[in-house]
Amino acid sequence: MDFVNKLPPMDFLRSEEMTLVQLIIPVESAHRAVSYLGELGLLQFTDLNADKSPFQRTFVNQVKRCGEISRKLRFFKDQISKAGMVSPIHSSPQPDVDLEELEIQLSEHEHELIEMNANSEKLRQTYNELLEFKMVLQKAGGFLVSGQHHTVAQERELDENLYSRDNYADIPSFLEQETRLGPSNEAGLRFISGIICKSKALRFERMIFRATRGNMLFNQAPTEKYATDPMSVEMVEKIVFVVFFCVAGYQEANPAVYTVITFPFLFAVMFGDWGHGICLLLGAIILIACESRLGSRKLGSFMEMAFGGRYVILLMALFSIYCGLIYNEFFSVPYHIFGGSAYKCRDATCRDAHTAGLIKYRDPYPFGVDPSWRGSRSELPFLNSLKMKMSILLGVAQMNLGIILSYFNARFFGSSLDIWYQFVPQMIFLNSLFGYLSLLIVIKWCTGSQADLYHVMIYMFLSPTEDLGENQLFWGQKPLQMLLLLLAVVAVPWMLFPKPFILRKLHLERFQGRTYGILDTSDMDLDVEPDSARHHVDEFNFSEVFVHQMIHSIEFVLEAVSNTASYLRLWALSLAHSELSTVFYEKVLLLAWGFDSILIRLVGLAVFAFATAFILLMMETLSAFLHALRLHWVEFQNKFYHGDGYKFRPLSFASLPDDED
Amino acid sequence: MYGFEALTFNIHGGYLEAVVRGHRSSLLTASDYNNLCQCETLDDIKMHLSATEYGPYLQNEPSPLHTTTIVEKCTLKLVDEYKHMLCQATEPLSTFLEYITYGHMIDNVVLIVTGTLHERDVQELLEKCHPLGMFDSIASLAVAQNMRELYRLVLVDTPLAPYFSECITSEDLDDMNIEIMRNTLYKAYLEDFYKFCKKLGGATAEIMTDLLAFEADKRAVNITINSIGTELTRDDRKKLYSNFGLLYPYGHEELAVCEDVDQVRAALEKYPAYQSIFAKLSYGESQMLDKAFYEEEVKRLCLAFEQQFHYGVFFAYMRLREQEIRNLMWISECVAQNQKSRVHDSVVFIF
């Protein structure tokens, strides 16, 4: 314990220490204080009146006034942008903005601006009218001059000119004229002239046709100059992205510290091929070398993710090269990099290579899997056994790390209850079963025993007192197994029962004296402590706590088995990867190379390249990435991580413009 | 096949159904209405609404608000949502969505014709029209002197054309005829919509025929009550009832001969579905009838959302939003006229 106490605190392991403060500010200086704090940008405010409606809050009138001011500012901004100007940005913020003065100034400006707008609108309208009059006179005059020969007009009436502004109002006054003049007795042609939007001309013609029952002649001519249409209002759509991510609880251990290394490593265990690893390394180096160039550009969502994770990809590539060297696979081809193989054929012809097998004549291959294994008859049973055992070892190690982190959390938060009644039984349970299995694996590797570990574990549970026979790996195994089984069985009620009862006892002890205090004063605030006390003032619901603890322990017990088995995906994916690359190599490249024609060889090479790039480099990378991530988030983090925190968002005027975007 | 919509509905309608359900979850709740009813001034209402989905529409309105502004902006939001859905829709959903607006078109036509009759300015009338029911050349309605001209000049190009066959007369337009015209048009529209929904089949047919039947019955009762004491003959009244619904045909015969509200009540109490509506009113009272009908309608519209993969949700959403706008208008008017005690007379809570 002393050793643990003397360890220096890790900087990145826990979040920054925060302080909860309560500010009591007199009302007159509230605004100045808060704006000063906003400029500092270091304080996040919590809403203590979250359940109150907007009217019941104290400063509702001031908020309304601010809303009015911001509306006016938006109006000005709109007008400025419509006029095509750019508003200058003040680099230094005003020290003290007097809101009352600002309010008065702004309302004066707004009033002026609205008046000016109205005047300019009127002027523009008049101008348009006159322009349209002129155009009608020009064009209609042209028609009439040409049509004078054809008409027997006795009367000519130049009716009102119309101007079409909006979509609907052009016809009525015009048609009224027409119908009112209908019953006139003059036999002769009357004409009406006007100006109308081009898009409505067809409809207008149809309407006139119907109104006059077909007795009409319609002539139209386009105008050269366009009268300005009324300004159209644009609606800018803002798309808001909501990005969901998990934030660590306050000051709990941050798993990212460990994940940075274990994640690329587990990825590599599943990816294990140093040829593919080199390709991945090249990609990562390119991303890192161009990071200044790519960082400023806007990339697509996929490239953005890849770019953001360039250092992780670098680590993944390095670890893949390492694991590839261990599995001895270069695009599925083994090489004799570290010296010669330890096995040789029984005779010179290697006739018995696939039946009786090879014999070992030297010290084992120094690093990684011996290259002679590839292509032999017992390659798969050997490699499967190796990888499965390795997966279990890695899994048990990572889960133990998770539980130890929960110990450090409990120690940091001072919860000795959690240490003694959660950490200790959890460690005992996990290690007496799966830690023991890991030990058996290591012993079997070291001694070369023929014992079947499945049977060892199963009979440990089913018939612990029986003789072990061929399943004996070391002396004293039977009593050790019985002891471990007993410890595991004891650990389960140890994590299930004591904690709820002790919590209840603590609760009763704590609030025993308090309950009398309530009778004296109803207004006195008992909760002068921080939030945690507030929750316990209500009744301690024992059944709820007990059920919660029961769920928690049953979950742990069941998950011990399932999570350990889940780590076998490390084996499964590495098997899939190696089989895929073997298939592409042997059945595509070697097959194509066997032919003499250079075309077939090129085609084979191309297919091999594409298959490697898309299936092995992209799909397998994503797949191994996903499974490694899942192993971390589920199997590793559910031992200790709660992730129920929220991000620190201080009130800061400097960051407000960024927030708005 | 009814029952297997889940296989194919989402191909074309999935996005829009998701959109409309999202909109539905932003309808104001009872707690919102309670807060709104506590407002003292229209500015308070604006402040409260700025926390809801209406915020962006109201935030740029200058401070002395009017009730008409509030209603206009809220309607504008509905229109924007409708237009977005309409432009994303394919057949037959796009036709269905257009059908929803024909009722507003009919109302707008009647509004303009009535207004012209009373010598109002066309521009003013156009501003009062409901934006969902606008069509091009609507302003030319002001010119027509009788129904035949109305049809020939303007309405023949609109989707309302087929509804006119029953009511073209050469009589001049006056108040009575206009009301009869409105109801005849609406009857034809409802029947057309009903046939269309039946043709669509499946869950849409089932749910929409229910909702439309309720609508038809509601209108029948309203026509009956409004025409008590007028010169509308029994036969004419019967001609205005739609040819479907719970009350067809026997209820219609009873309603046609009713002369006062109690007889109407007696006629309707034979139908258990409508019994609950009249149970809320005491004898002789008819002011609260509107609210009772609206409450029943809202209940049925909310039930339409319980099933998936049909078009009834669009219709239900539009109607619920219109009810919400009616609520907001009533609350704003009560607040503006200082009659807060009467606020709960006409507000129908949706959730």
Side-chain angles (χ1 to χ4, degrees):
Chain A
M1 275 311 119
D2 253 359
F3 169 72
V4 175
N5 285 340
K6 288 208 192 91
L7 289 174
M10 237 203 288
D11 281 336
F12 296 110
L13 188 62
R14 300 188 191 276
S15 57
E16 288 283 330
E17 264 193 44
M18 311 293 275
T19 327
L20 183 66
V21 298
Q22 188 175 30
L23 297 172
I24 302 180
I25 309 178
V27 173
E28 312 84 48
S29 35
H31 180 247
R32 282 190 72 165
V34 172
S35 48
Y36 180 67
L37 288 172
E39 277 166 38
L40 270 186
L42 292 174
L43 213 63
Q44 178 177 355
F45 289 91
T46 35
D47 190 358
L48 293 174
N49 294 327
D51 50 348
K52 293 210 186 122
S53 75
F55 315 105
Q56 293 165 310
R57 297 177 188 232
T58 334
F59 292 101
V60 64
N61 286 325
Q62 281 84 343
V63 171
K64 259 196 268 191
R65 282 162 67 189
C66 285
E68 261 302 297
I69 295 179
S70 72
R71 181 194 65 80
K72 291 188 183 120
L73 284 172
R74 272 196 298 271
F75 174 65
F76 289 142
K77 203 163 113 176
D78 248 351
Q79 296 288 320
I80 291 176
S81 64
K82 269 193 210 155
M85 302 189 291
V86 175
S87 48
I89 302 174
H90 284 288
S91 54
S92 62
Q94 314 287 48
D96 236 342
V97 177
D98 187 1
L99 273 185
E100 264 108 23
E101 245 183 59
L102 188 66
E103 212 176 344
I104 298 175
Q105 256 188 3
L106 282 178
S107 51
E108 272 175 21
H109 284 314
E110 187 195 17
H111 195 68
E112 279 176 27
L113 190 57
I114 293 182
E115 249 187 71
M116 276 200 295
N117 273 349
N119 288 339
S120 114
E121 189 56 38
K122 241 180 9 187
L123 276 176
R124 195 171 308 170
Q125 221 175 330
T126 325
Y127 172 74
N128 276 346
E129 263 178 59
L130 292 173
L131 191 65
E132 281 163 357
F133 268 127
K134 185 174 108 175
M135 284 197 257
V136 168
L137 284 173
Q138 279 175 350
K139 299 283 173 182
F143 287 143
L144 290 175
V145 160
S146 68
Q148 208 161 22
H149 313 294
H150 304 277
T151 57
V152 190
Q154 286 180 348
E155 264 176 84
R156 234 188 260 169
E157 278 158 58
L158 203 72
D159 291 17
E160 291 183 0
N161 285 334
L162 315 161
Y163 36 89
S164 61
R165 176 132 325 131
D166 49 78
N167 302 334
Y168 305 108
D170 48 349
I171 319 291
S173 51
F174 163 69
L175 275 181
E176 277 171 16
Q177 290 260 318
E178 158 74 37
T179 49
R180 262 186 235 133
L181 295 166
S184 152
N185 276 337
E186 275 91 359
L189 291 177
R190 262 167 304 282
F191 70 91
I192 299 175
S193 56
I195 192 165
I196 187 174
C197 264
K198 203 164 175 184
S199 49
K200 310 225 172 26
L202 185 60
R203 225 174 290 134
F204 183 61
E205 186 174 353
R206 209 185 304 153
M207 168 111 20
I208 305 275
F209 184 82
R210 289 200 191 114
T212 57
R213 294 184 187 80
N215 304 329
M216 66 106 178
L217 199 64
F218 189 80
N219 247 328
Q220 50 178 330
T223 60
E224 297 91 23
K225 288 185 287 201
Y226 294 98
T228 49
D229 271 337
M231 296 182 278
S232 59
V233 178
E234 289 167 28
M235 283 258 283
V236 177
E237 269 198 337
K238 262 189 169 190
I239 305 173
V240 176
F241 280 102
V242 175
V243 179
F244 172 74
F245 62 94
C246 218
V247 181
Y250 178 55
Q251 296 238 300
E252 73 172 352
N254 186 4
V257 175
Y258 301 95
T259 306
V260 166
I261 292 298
T262 55
F263 170 75
F265 180 67
L266 288 186
F267 169 86
V269 169
M270 293 190 268
F271 196 67
D273 183 316
W274 59 282
H276 299 148
I278 289 179
C279 298
L280 210 56
L281 184 67
L282 285 175
I285 288 179
I286 290 176
L287 280 178
I288 293 177
C290 303
E291 70 184 352
S292 50
R293 232 187 322 139
L294 288 175
S296 46
R297 271 213 314 212
K298 188 103 175 63
L299 309 159
S301 64
F302 180 69
M303 271 308 290
E304 192 139 350
M305 270 199 295
F307 181 70
R310 56 195 183 279
Y311 289 106
V312 176
I313 297 182
L314 177 70
L315 279 177
M316 279 153 59
L318 290 174
F319 278 115
S320 301
I321 297 180
Y322 174 74
C323 279
L325 287 172
I326 291 188
Y327 295 155
N328 210 343
E329 284 190 15
F330 179 82
F331 292 99
S332 87
V333 177
Y335 280 101
H336 294 65
I337 302 182
F338 297 100
S341 165
Y343 299 90
K344 72 168 169 66
C345 300
R346 286 166 202 273
D347 58 21
T349 57
C350 280
R351 226 179 332 130
D352 298 337
H354 282 271
T355 47
L358 305 170
I359 45 171
K360 188 166 177 205
Y361 73 109
R362 289 217 290 222
D363 279 338
Y365 192 70
F367 185 80
V369 169
D370 196 302
S372 301
W373 281 108
R374 155 86 40 200
S376 67
R377 231 175 49 177
S378 57
E379 173 193 2
L380 273 183
F382 171 71
L383 284 179
N384 284 352
S385 157
L386 170 72
K387 289 181 181 173
M388 283 169 98
K389 294 195 168 78
M390 175 190 70
S391 312
I392 299 280
L393 288 176
L394 289 174
V396 172
Q398 194 171 37
M399 286 197 284
N400 269 314
L401 175 64
I403 304 183
I404 291 176
L405 280 176
S406 84
Y407 163 70
F408 278 109
N409 267 346
R411 202 159 155 273
F412 181 83
F413 291 118
S415 165
S416 73
L417 194 69
D418 270 344
I419 297 180
W420 287 111
Y421 297 100
Q422 202 160 300
F423 164 70
V424 172
Q426 279 183 352
M427 280 297 270
I428 292 181
F429 184 81
L430 189 68
N431 286 320
S432 66
L433 295 178
F434 297 101
Y436 176 62
L437 176 62
S438 316
L439 181 70
L440 287 180
I441 290 175
V442 174
I443 292 179
K444 182 169 175 186
W445 273 346
C446 294
T447 60
S449 148
Q450 303 266 4
D452 188 341
L453 292 181
Y454 289 124
H455 289 159
V456 171
M457 290 302 291
I458 292 176
Y459 292 138
M460 176 173 153
F461 279 91
L462 287 184
S463 37
T465 50
E466 263 186 33
D467 206 21
L468 289 167
E470 63 178 12
N471 286 335
Q472 182 104 12
L473 280 156
F474 54 89
W475 176 83
Q477 187 174 346
K478 193 164 85 161
L480 179 64
Q481 281 185 191
M482 288 200 289
L483 175 68
L484 289 176
L485 189 60
L486 198 64
L487 279 176
V489 169
V490 163
V492 176
W494 189 350
M495 59 174 116
L496 175 59
F497 289 110
K499 191 167 158 190
F501 290 102
I502 295 182
L503 277 176
R504 185 165 81 145
K505 198 163 75 107
L506 281 178
H507 172 82
L508 287 175
E509 264 174 33
R510 189 178 193 185
F511 292 103
Q512 219 167 24
R514 291 289 191 92
T515 50
Y516 294 113
I518 300 177
L519 290 174
D520 292 347
T521 51
S522 50
D523 290 344
M524 185 173 81
D525 196 20
L526 292 170
D527 304 316
V528 289
E529 297 164 30
D531 277 345
S532 56
R534 215 168 264 154
H535 298 305
H536 291 311
V537 169
D538 332 274
E539 284 173 21
F540 177 77
N541 198 346
F542 179 72
S543 55
E544 206 179 294
V545 174
F546 187 75
V547 168
H548 181 84
Q549 189 63 25
M550 187 169 76
I551 292 176
H552 198 75
S553 8
I554 291 181
E555 209 178 31
F556 182 79
V557 168
L558 291 178
E559 278 187 358
V561 180
S562 91
N563 289 353
T564 311
S566 184
Y567 275 95
L568 287 173
R569 70 185 69 220
L570 295 171
W571 154 65
L573 261 90
S574 79
L575 177 67
H577 189 97
S578 104
E579 287 301 310
L580 268 177
S581 63
T582 306
V583 160
F584 287 137
Y585 180 71
E586 285 178 11
K587 304 290 181 215
V588 176
L589 197 62
L590 286 186
L591 189 68
W593 215 261
F595 288 90
D596 267 330
S597 147
I598 190 151
L599 180 66
I600 296 187
R601 285 185 180 180
L602 278 178
V603 167
L605 193 62
V607 172
F608 175 72
F610 271 108
T612 301
F614 284 108
I615 296 184
L616 286 173
L617 284 180
M618 280 193 58
M619 189 191 86
E620 274 290 313
T621 304
L622 283 174
S623 170
F625 186 102
L626 177 123
H627 283 286
L629 200 60
R630 174 252 151 76
L631 279 177
H632 278 80
W633 272 94
V634 180
E635 277 78 18
F636 175 50
Q637 286 179 2
N638 73 0
K639 303 282 181 291
F640 67 99
Y641 187 61
H642 294 293
D644 49 7
Y646 50 89
K647 243 187 149 184
F648 177 61
R649 276 202 201 88
L651 172 69
S652 158
F653 293 148
S655 65
L656 270 181
D658 306 325
D659 271 351
E660 268 173 25
D661 301 331
Chain B
M1 266 183 300
Y2 185 20
F4 289 86
E5 298 90 36
L7 284 176
T8 53
F9 184 85
N10 276 343
I11 302 172
H12 294 293
Y15 169 66
L16 284 175
E17 181 171 356
V19 163
V20 89
R21 279 181 191 269
H23 287 318
R24 173 237 194 218
S25 63
S26 74
L27 285 169
L28 298 178
T29 62
S31 64
D32 285 319
Y33 283 125
N34 279 329
N35 284 335
L36 282 171
C37 293
Q38 289 171 6
C39 292
E40 298 289 333
T41 68
L42 289 177
D43 275 330
D44 289 340
I45 292 186
K46 172 183 163 188
M47 185 173 74
H48 206 89
L49 286 179
S50 60
T52 66
E53 296 262 320
Y54 288 114
Y57 290 86
L58 284 175
Q59 70 181 4
N60 285 329
E61 293 308 307
S63 200
L65 271 185
H66 299 288
T67 46
T68 45
T69 323
I70 296 181
V71 173
E72 199 184 299
K73 295 298 167 195
C74 296
T75 317
L76 186 62
K77 173 174 187 286
L78 174 62
V79 171
D80 281 339
E81 289 171 0
Y82 173 78
K83 287 209 177 110
H84 172 76
M85 289 197 286
L86 186 62
C87 68
Q88 303 276 358
T90 61
E91 289 292 334
L93 181 56
S94 51
T95 315
F96 185 89
L97 286 175
E98 283 172 12
Y99 261 102
I100 299 179
T101 60
Y102 294 166
H104 290 297
M105 263 189 222
I106 296 176
D107 286 335
N108 286 351
V109 166
V110 169
L111 178 76
I112 292 191
V113 170
T114 322
T116 317
L117 197 62
H118 294 285
E119 319 257 323
R120 301 245 199 284
D121 181 32
V122 166
Q123 285 290 77
E124 210 185 292
L125 292 172
L126 282 176
E127 278 166 24
K128 289 215 187 113
C129 284
H130 196 281
L132 278 180
M134 291 301 248
F135 52 91
D136 297 321
S137 67
I138 191 173
S140 5
L141 287 172
V143 186
Q145 306 282 22
N146 60 34
M147 273 192 248
R148 203 177 285 278
E149 256 186 37
L150 201 65
Y151 175 72
R152 204 168 48 83
L153 282 185
V154 183
L155 295 172
V156 68
D157 278 332
T158 64
L160 298 178
Y163 306 148
F164 261 84
S165 54
E166 285 185 29
C167 71
I168 295 186
T169 63
S170 297
E171 289 176 15
D172 270 348
L173 296 169
D174 64 20
D175 275 320
M176 178 64 141
N177 290 349
I178 293 177
E179 272 309 302
I180 295 184
M181 177 182 83
R182 179 213 293 268
N183 284 309
T184 322
L185 282 178
Y186 213 91
K187 166 191 167 175
Y189 155 63
L190 275 183
E191 284 173 8
D192 192 23
F193 200 2
Y194 187 81
K195 270 199 285 268
F196 176 72
C197 291
K198 261 202 135 77
K199 204 161 50 110
L200 286 176
T204 307
E206 193 179 311
I207 293 174
M208 282 307 296
T209 49
D210 264 342
L211 291 174
L212 289 176
F214 180 78
E215 174 87 13
D217 293 334
K218 180 176 90 155
R219 288 194 79 88
V221 171
N222 278 333
I223 289 172
T224 315
I225 293 185
N226 290 336
S227 62
I228 291 174
T230 64
E231 0 170 285
L232 194 65
T233 65
R234 289 181 186 179
D235 287 329
D236 280 340
R237 194 197 282 180
K238 201 147 165 232
K239 268 197 285 192
L240 295 177
Y241 298 151
S242 304
N243 295 339
F244 63 96
L246 210 55
L247 295 176
Y248 170 81
Y250 306 112
H252 287 166
E253 287 182 23
E254 287 194 32
L255 279 180
V257 298
C258 284
E259 293 300 333
D260 66 43
V261 181
D262 289 328
Q263 288 182 358
V264 172
R265 174 199 290 267
L268 256 78
E269 273 177 353
K270 302 196 178 90
Y271 296 87
Y274 301 136
Q275 215 172 14
S276 57
I277 297 179
F278 278 88
K280 293 185 200 161
L281 311 169
S282 52
Y283 275 96
E285 183 190 331
S286 71
Q287 293 104 320
M288 302 296 279
L289 186 63
D290 267 345
K291 184 173 178 200
F293 266 120
Y294 280 139
E295 277 174 0
E296 179 70 23
E297 186 183 358
V298 161
K299 218 167 43 174
R300 287 168 189 241
L301 290 172
C302 286
L303 285 178
F305 282 96
E306 298 296 316
Q307 201 173 337
Q308 251 190 302
F309 309 127
H310 61 92
Y311 296 150
V313 287
F314 297 97
F315 178 78
Y317 169 70
M318 302 290 286
R319 284 298 166 98
L320 284 173
R321 191 58 93 172
E322 284 165 21
Q323 177 63 42
E324 182 177 282
I325 295 178
R326 271 197 291 271
N327 287 346
L328 284 175
M329 185 182 74
W330 180 259
I331 295 175
S332 313
E333 287 289 347
C334 287
V335 163
Q337 296 173 20
N338 247 329
Q339 301 252 20
K340 301 250 315 265
S341 51
R342 295 195 53 199
V343 153
H344 288 283
D345 279 353
S346 186
V347 173
V348 178
F349 291 172
I350 299 181
F351 303 116

